[in-house]
Amino acid sequence: MTSDLLISSLPKVVLHDHLDGGLRPQTIIELAAEVGHELPTTDAEELRAWFVDAADSGSLVRYLETFDHTIAVMQTREGLRRVARESVLDLAADGVVYAEQRWAPEQHLTQGLSLQDTVDAVQEGFDEGVALAAEQGRTIQVGQLVTAMRHADRWDEIAELALANRDRGVVGFDIAGAEDGFPPSRFPGVWRTLNDASFPVTIHAGEASGVESIAEAVHLGQASRIGHGVRLVEDITGLETDAPVLGRIAAWVRDNQIPLELCPSSNLQTGAAASIAAHPISRLRDLDFAVTINTDNRLMSGTTMTKEMTLLVSEAGWTLDDLRDATLAAAWSAFIHHDARHALGEQILAGYAQAELATQATQA
Ligand SMILES: [Zn+2]
């Protein structure tokens, strides 16, 4: 009953989607030609396959190489703007009505742009994408999540950049990259600054590293959401039994309904989960955690929101109600104000009600 077509028409929310992980292969080819960057192939379909293969390879070196290519073509104002614009259009075509896209400004400075230039260029692209989508009859809201790289020492500077642009499209702050060895406690002051400014934070945690990393993200980092958090299950004993026992941090995350930005296909590629059927997202949902469904890197994982949701239905037995609940959880944890979240929730409920009517009509 939950056909691919039905899922593609549902209103979606994505909170964890990397701007540098969602480029169109043809765009990479065209931008690479302009800036003189060499690619593994200049055939769009071959390049699409190359990205997925490299990300699937199990080799961290090859996985990281994929980002060398996408980031290389996002060093100019026009490159950033085009990628941002097309990303919004692709998300809108996938039925996404609200998106937060994250990216690391510090990785886009090799051709002379300033940090502020990069934020401006991305915002221009987002604004253009939203306007073009509206012309095509699709409504989408998009916010920027500004990311600092864990291994670099620019967290303070990037947090200041996020704050300076908080009323100009930037809705939150994130740290990404090597989780092991670069914990939030490296620069405790940055979290105090953001917290004092009442500015939203999400932190990649519990993907490459375990429970302590999640605890630090939530307690020291004051993260209101967790990027991935898939390894939170390590703090639950008897996970598959009728009476699982939650450890301190798992209980804290559930009691406070701290949303988990889970990315099923991406988690398989990094080895954080064994299969879609065995992915902890289903068990965490059963245990009443605030689970959300996300894409992470659409290009490297060869995915879309429709595909992630379809996989959960076909391989993990998710129902339309499950998809609706996860979408509402995402809407309620979006980095927008309460009244805007409420309106987004209403939009989602209306979309699901319409889908249910359509399903009934086909069955009658
Ligand atoms: Zn991520």
Side-chain angles (χ1 to χ4, degrees):
M1 84 135 212
T2 20
S3 70
D4 295 6
L5 194 64
L6 176 74
I7 292 177
S8 76
S9 74
L10 293 170
K12 303 173 187 73
V13 173
V14 63
L15 302 177
H16 194 123
D17 185 88
H18 292 261
L19 187 63
D20 50 328
L23 286 74
R24 297 175 183 173
Q26 185 59 36
T27 298
I28 300 174
I29 292 165
E30 289 173 21
L31 290 174
E34 281 172 27
V35 300
H37 174 79
E38 199 178 326
L39 293 170
T41 166
T42 52
D43 176 272
E45 283 318 303
E46 278 176 26
L47 189 60
R48 186 188 301 282
W50 181 88
F51 273 100
V52 176
D53 285 349
D56 263 343
S57 68
S59 152
L60 185 63
V61 175
R62 283 197 69 196
Y63 189 81
L64 293 177
E65 194 198 336
T66 62
F67 287 94
D68 290 345
H69 295 299
T70 58
I71 289 169
V73 303
M74 297 167 70
Q75 298 298 329
T76 62
R77 190 172 263 271
E78 187 39 43
L80 279 166
R81 188 169 142 190
R82 175 172 174 183
V83 168
R85 177 176 65 238
E86 292 178 350
S87 184
V88 173
L89 289 171
D90 291 349
L91 290 172
D94 191 24
V96 173
V97 294
Y98 179 88
E100 289 174 14
Q101 288 215 274
R102 65 189 71 201
W103 64 291
E106 67 199 77
Q107 294 187 305
H108 302 270
L109 307 177
T110 65
Q111 300 295 316
L113 294 180
S114 69
L115 288 171
Q116 184 60 49
D117 290 338
T118 65
V119 172
D120 291 342
V122 167
Q123 192 56 40
E124 280 167 25
F126 281 174
D127 292 344
E128 288 168 3
V130 168
L132 283 168
E135 281 173 24
Q136 297 167 3
R138 296 182 180 275
T139 310
I140 181 168
Q141 304 174 62
V142 186
Q144 293 191 43
L145 293 177
V146 162
T147 295
M149 298 309 292
R150 281 178 178 263
H151 63 271
D153 296 339
R154 306 184 76 154
W155 299 15
D156 280 316
E157 206 181 344
I158 302 303
E160 291 300 339
L161 180 73
L163 289 176
N165 289 279
R166 69 186 305 178
D167 296 319
R168 303 164 62 197
V170 175
V171 299
F173 178 81
D174 166 49
I175 54 172
E179 191 179 345
D180 266 329
F182 301 95
S185 53
R186 274 186 86 211
F187 299 108
V190 81
W191 312 111
R192 208 169 309 122
T193 303
L194 292 164
N195 205 19
D196 285 350
S198 304
F199 192 70
V201 169
T202 175
I203 294 179
H204 277 82
E207 182 192 21
S209 198
V211 176
E212 310 75 46
S213 176
I214 296 173
E216 227 188 75
V218 167
H219 297 311
L220 179 71
Q222 298 278 329
S224 7
R225 301 195 312 241
I226 300 167
H228 298 290
V230 63
R231 287 178 59 179
L232 192 63
V233 291
E234 292 170 10
D235 196 38
I236 305 175
T237 44
L239 185 66
E240 298 305 331
T241 67
D242 290 340
V245 178
L246 273 61
R248 298 281 184 211
I249 184 64
W252 181 271
V253 169
R254 184 174 71 168
D255 292 345
N256 288 288
Q257 289 291 293
I258 298 172
L260 304 173
E261 302 162 355
L262 294 156
C263 309
S265 292
S266 170
N267 295 155
L268 299 197
Q269 287 179 307
T270 58
S275 66
I276 297 290
H279 193 288
I281 189 171
S282 301
R283 195 70 187 112
L284 290 166
R285 170 208 59 191
D286 293 343
L287 294 173
D288 254 343
F289 282 84
V291 299
T292 68
I293 306 163
N294 299 277
T295 44
D296 209 12
N297 297 295
R298 282 170 284 129
L299 175 64
M300 290 74 176
S301 297
T303 199
T304 59
M305 281 300 288
T306 297
K307 189 168 169 193
E308 293 301 307
M309 292 162 87
T310 305
L311 283 170
L312 288 172
V313 169
S314 61
E315 294 184 26
W318 281 49
T319 65
L320 202 55
D321 286 352
D322 292 330
L323 296 179
R324 182 200 57 210
D325 290 350
T327 307
L328 286 174
W332 281 110
S333 43
F335 289 159
I336 49 178
H337 293 304
H338 183 83
D339 45 355
R341 290 176 175 176
H342 200 276
L344 186 56
E346 292 295 328
Q347 189 182 355
I348 290 155
L349 286 173
Y352 273 79
Q354 212 171 27
E356 260 157 46
L357 282 178
T359 315
Q360 284 162 9
T362 20
Q363 282 168 347

